[in-house]
């Protein structure tokens, strides 16, 4: 759709969803959302605070004690399937909202909406297939385990992939029979609000899902500290994750933290380079590099280093950048603040004499107020440099040359993070050695990202967090095990 197409958001964006009712925040206050593609005001969202969080937690508990809590697993599964189908009917609307709110090209927003539907389909189908066990035990006893919901679960979601992150966390939590309080990010919340409307229209009982928009330090902090919440799932920065974990610790509540990374793709000289090339750049510039599993480090074995650098550079120079609704290769970053962070790293690189291997260019006609940054590939960066160590969350990749498996591993494992890694090699033994020795939550051999992989458990080690979402593993995370021992003689 061309950028000039008039588009009206088809629902009031400044309402919270509590106990099935759309309502203003208790204090009546609002926050402004901006369109990252041109920097103009886009809509208002409610500025929920502790009082709204309290009402949402109570609504969730009431739902657990009422209609929602009485549904069977099969009924919950059927409902999730119905919500997923309604999401599919609304892919174009969701993609447009995401383009305007996040600055994400339409094709990426469509892919996210379809992934959201896929999570609901997967977890809907799994809802009645997760069960406890009977355990061999003492004579005269029968012992068994039951998988039960935690109760009220809190979901604190960032702005980069709101649909996918809601799908994987709220989808799994609802499948297990929890009732959710969802706090979207202050930078982007429109697709989360649209999803909640879709879920209510599809028949989700009141209070099973509550949405409180607002600031992290207000609504987010209140949710993570609320004594009525029994589990918290968070995706975002390391500092915020640590704050949430300490708030939850005061209530002895489990948390799942997904905190980003500095993930490598490792290219050995024997790799199928043609197969690797599209993944090397795309995994760095997708969503303007604002992806927790972005491949921000490209480690290349020395004999093929120059060839890879030249081919990646060609791709960088050909990147088409512009407003999200123009649906090009890359849109803007989310905010002026994020633009400033990326520019800070580019300046740091310049000051420390790093060589630029290639840069994309921003066309003259893009709106001046948009938050655009030039995608940049740096040439053979020292592995201990800040650009090779810190999560930038922008379209910046560093090339690092290595000699042999041992050095590749040392560099790959040599950051504070450990989310995912990609390995490109035709050597079967090396594939397994690398997969086992890499310190991270997911390893991709001769691919990167596995197309999103709803079925594949996802999460990190070290500063990338702990706990797993996606796959069946998430269903175990969003439930608790009760053991029953019956003495019947
Ligand atoms: P953030 O971690 O501060 O925000 C993420 C979510 O947490 C938002 O919903 C926010 O409202 C909430 N939040 C913020 N402070 C909170 C608090 N004290 N208590 C509870 N909730 C709180 O991330 P950000 O400010 O949007 O981005 C900063 C950096 O974080 C980025 O540059 C990037 O490096 C990283 N990040 C990573 C991911 C990821 O997918 N891993 C996503 C977003 C941001």
């Amino acid at each position: 759709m061309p950028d000039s197409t008039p588009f009206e958001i088809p629902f009031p964006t400044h309402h919270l969803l509590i106990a099935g009712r759309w309502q203003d925040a208790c204090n009546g206050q609002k926050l402004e959302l901006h369109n990252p593609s041109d920097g103009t005001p886009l809509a208002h969202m409610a500025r929920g605070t502790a009082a709204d969080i309290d009402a949402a937690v109570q609504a969730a508990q009431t739902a657990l004690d009422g209609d929602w809590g009485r549904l069977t697993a099969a009924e919950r599964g059927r409902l999730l399937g119905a919500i997923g189908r309604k999401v599919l009917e609304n892919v174009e609307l969701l993609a447009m909202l995401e383009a305007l709110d996040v600055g994400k090209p339409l094709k990426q927003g469509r892919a996210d909406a379809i992934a959201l539907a896929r999570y609901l389909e997967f977890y809907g189908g799994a809802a009645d297939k997760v069960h406890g066990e009977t355990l061999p035990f003492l004579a005269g006893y029968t012992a068994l385990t039951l998988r039960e919901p935690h109760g009220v679960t809190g979901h604190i979601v960032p702005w980069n992939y709101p649909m996918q992150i809601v799908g994987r966390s709220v989808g799994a939590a609802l499948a297990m029979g929890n009732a959710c309080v969802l706090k979207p990010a202050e930078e982007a919340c429109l697709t989360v609000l649209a999803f909640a409307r879709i879920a209510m229209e599809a028949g989700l009982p009141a209070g099973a899902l509550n949405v409180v928009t607002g600031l992290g330090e207000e609504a987010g902090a209140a949710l993570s500290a609320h004594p009525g919440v029994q589990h918290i799932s968070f995706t975002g920065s390391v500092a915020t994750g640590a704050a949430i974990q300490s708030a939850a610790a005061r209530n002895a509540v489990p948390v799942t933290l997904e905190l980003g990374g500095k993930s490598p793709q490792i290219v050995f000289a024997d790799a199928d380079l043609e197969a690797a090339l599209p993944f090397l750049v795309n995994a760095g510039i997708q969503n303007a590099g604002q992806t927790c599993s972005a491949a921000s480090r490209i480690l290349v074995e020395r004999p093929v280093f120059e060839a890879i650098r030249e081919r990646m550079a060609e791709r960088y120079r050909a990147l088409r950048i512009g407003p999200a609704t123009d649906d090009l290769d890359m849109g803007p970053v989310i905010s002026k603040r994020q633009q400033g962070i990326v520019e800070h790293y580019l300046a740091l690189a310049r000051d420390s004499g790093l060589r630029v291997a290639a840069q994309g260019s921003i066309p003259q006609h893009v709106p001046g107020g948009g938050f655009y940054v030039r995608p940049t590939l740096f040439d053979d960066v020292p592995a201990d440099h800040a650009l090779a160590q810190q999560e930038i969350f922008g379209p910046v990749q560093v090339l690092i040359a290595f000699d042999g498996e041992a050095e590749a591993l040392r560099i790959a494992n040599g950051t504070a993070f450990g989310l995912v890694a990609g390995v490109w090699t035709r050597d079967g033994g090396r594939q397994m050695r690398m997969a086992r020795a890499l310190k991270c939550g997911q390893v991709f051999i001769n691919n990167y990202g596995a197309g999103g992989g709803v079925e594949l458990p996802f999460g990190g080690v070290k500063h990338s967090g702990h706990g797993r979402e996606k796959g069946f593993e998430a269903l175990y995370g969003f439930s608790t095990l009760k053991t029953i021992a019956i003495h019947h003689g």
Side-chain angles (χ1 to χ4, degrees), residues 207-287:
L209 172 63
N210 306 274
V211 182
V212 179
T213 57
L215 297 173
E217 60 268 31
E218 295 177 356
L223 180 57
S224 48
H226 198 291
V229 173
Q230 280 97 37
H231 180 282
I232 294 174
S233 148
F234 170 75
T235 303
S237 63
V238 178
T240 302
I244 287 171
Q245 181 158 354
S246 37
R250 287 193 280 278
N251 295 320
V253 161
V255 294
T256 302
L257 298 181
E258 201 273 89
L259 308 177
K262 193 72 187 173
S263 298
Q265 289 202 62
I266 307 162
V267 186
F268 285 94
D270 71 339
D272 179 346
L273 302 186
E274 288 308 313
L277 273 159
F279 289 89
L280 299 182
V281 177
N282 288 353
I285 59 101
Q286 181 179 315
N287 197 23

Side-chain angles (χ1 to χ4, degrees), residues 52-398:
D52 302 291
I53 289 289
D54 194 42
V57 172
Q58 282 184 37
Q61 189 57 54
T62 303
L64 285 167
D65 298 337
D67 288 353
W68 174 243
R70 278 193 286 273
L71 291 189
T72 63
E75 287 166 335
R76 291 196 304 271
R78 199 173 303 134
L79 200 42
L80 287 179
I83 301 170
R85 284 189 293 281
K86 252 191 179 310
V87 167
L88 285 179
E89 289 165 17
N90 285 281
V91 166
E92 288 307 314
L93 168 66
L94 291 165
M96 185 52 127
L97 292 173
E98 198 77 326
L100 297 175
D101 203 12
V102 180
K104 192 176 285 191
L106 289 166
K107 54 177 133 6
Q108 288 179 24
R110 281 188 199 107
D112 285 5
I114 292 167
L116 165 59
R118 174 76 189 112
Y119 279 113
L120 296 164
E121 180 183 54
F122 179 84
Y123 287 120
D128 59 354
K129 294 164 193 71
V130 184
H131 47 72
E133 294 176 319
T134 53
L135 310 169
F137 194 49
L138 302 177
Y141 280 84
T142 297
L144 55 111
T145 57
L146 295 181
R147 276 229 164 257
E148 298 185 332
H150 289 292
V152 178
T153 52
H155 305 256
I156 300 175
V157 168
W159 40 264
N160 56 342
Y161 287 86
M163 286 188 270
Q164 293 215 34
I165 293 168
V166 166
R168 77 188 190 203
S169 74
V170 169
L174 290 177
M176 292 311 295
N178 299 281
C180 306
V181 179
L182 173 55
K183 210 299 279 171
E186 45 270 63
E187 292 85 354
C189 65
L190 295 185
T191 51
V192 178
L193 295 174
F195 163 72
R197 284 183 181 271
I198 289 169
M200 297 308 290
E201 279 166 29
L204 190 67
L209 172 63
N210 306 274
V211 182
V212 179
T213 57
L215 297 173
E217 60 268 31
E218 295 177 356
L223 180 57
S224 48
H226 198 291
V229 173
Q230 280 97 37
H231 180 282
I232 294 174
S233 148
F234 170 75
T235 303
S237 63
V238 178
T240 302
I244 287 171
Q245 181 158 354
S246 37
R250 287 193 280 278
N251 295 320
V253 161
V255 294
T256 302
L257 298 181
E258 201 273 89
L259 308 177
K262 193 72 187 173
S263 298
Q265 289 202 62
I266 307 162
V267 186
F268 285 94
D270 71 339
D272 179 346
L273 302 186
E274 288 308 313
L277 273 159
F279 289 89
L280 299 182
V281 177
N282 288 353
I285 59 101
Q286 181 179 315
N287 197 23
Q290 304 163 116
T291 304
C292 48
S293 54
S296 47
R297 296 185 296 154
I298 305 295
L299 279 49
V300 187
E301 204 167 20
R302 216 168 285 276
V304 292
F305 186 84
E306 261 180 48
I308 290 285
R309 180 185 59 208
E310 289 321 305
R311 295 292 300 280
M312 286 184 71
E314 273 168 33
R315 175 85 184 109
Y316 260 77
R317 288 191 280 266
L319 285 174
R320 298 163 311 146
I321 301 165
T325 49
D326 286 1
D327 204 13
L328 304 174
D329 299 317
M330 209 186 94
V333 294
I334 183 76
S335 60
K336 197 157 195 56
R337 173 173 164 248
Q338 199 65 25
Q339 185 185 34
I341 293 173
V342 178
E343 281 167 359
H344 157 79
Y345 278 102
L346 295 182
L348 184 68
R350 213 171 28 243
D351 294 348
S352 50
L354 293 189
R355 285 189 313 275
V356 171
Q359 250 185 335
S361 40
I362 302 166
Q364 300 237 310
H365 66 265
V366 302
F371 310 130
Y372 298 93
V373 294
R374 292 183 73 183
T376 307
L377 177 67
F378 286 99
D379 188 8
D380 204 5
V381 172
D384 59 355
H385 191 281
L387 267 82
Q389 289 287 323
Q390 295 169 17
E391 185 178 49
I392 299 173
F393 235 55
V396 179
Q397 289 180 294
V398 297

Side-chain angles (χ1 to χ4, degrees), residues 452-475:
V454 165
E455 304 84 347
L456 311 180
F458 177 72
V461 300
K462 304 195 281 182
H463 282 188
S464 292
H466 53 76
R468 294 292 175 264
E469 290 191 337
K470 303 171 74 163
F472 253 69
E473 207 58 35
L475 298 168

